[in-house]
């Protein structure tokens, strides 16, 4: 079911959350890159970054379904 959104405040809010997800993913990628490869810490940060990126992509796809952002 596709929801029609009047105006852009809701889309702007969702976009802001997607930006936050991207920032969290980037922070996890930085931590991953600082960790020694093959360790549990490296794996944890890599997995977390992947989950944040997937959440970001999913949210941005939903935003596109809701309509134009301008």
């Amino acid at each position: 079911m596709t929801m029609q959104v009047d105006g852009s405040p809701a889309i702007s809010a969702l976009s802001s959350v997607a930006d936050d997800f991207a920032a969290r993913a980037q922070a996890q990628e930085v931590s991953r890159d600082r960790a020694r490869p093959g360790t549990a810490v490296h794996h944890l940060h890599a997995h977390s970054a992947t989950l944040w990126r997937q959440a970001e992509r999913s949210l941005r796809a939903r935003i596109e379904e809701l309509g134009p952002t301008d």
Side-chain angles (χ1 to χ4, degrees), residues 17-67:
V17 172
D19 292 343
D20 184 51
F21 287 0
R24 290 171 187 254
Q26 185 175 9
Q28 290 299 312
E29 290 163 350
V30 168
S31 294
R32 174 206 61 204
D33 293 345
R34 289 182 181 160
R36 193 169 49 117
T39 63
V41 172
H42 183 267
H43 175 73
L44 177 68
H45 290 299
H47 183 65
S48 184
T50 298
L51 294 176
W52 283 116
R53 289 289 180 203
Q54 288 174 339
E56 176 198 3
R57 281 192 301 272
S58 176
L59 187 53
R60 290 197 193 280
R62 184 68 179 135
I63 291 167
E64 287 295 318
E65 291 174 2
L66 292 173

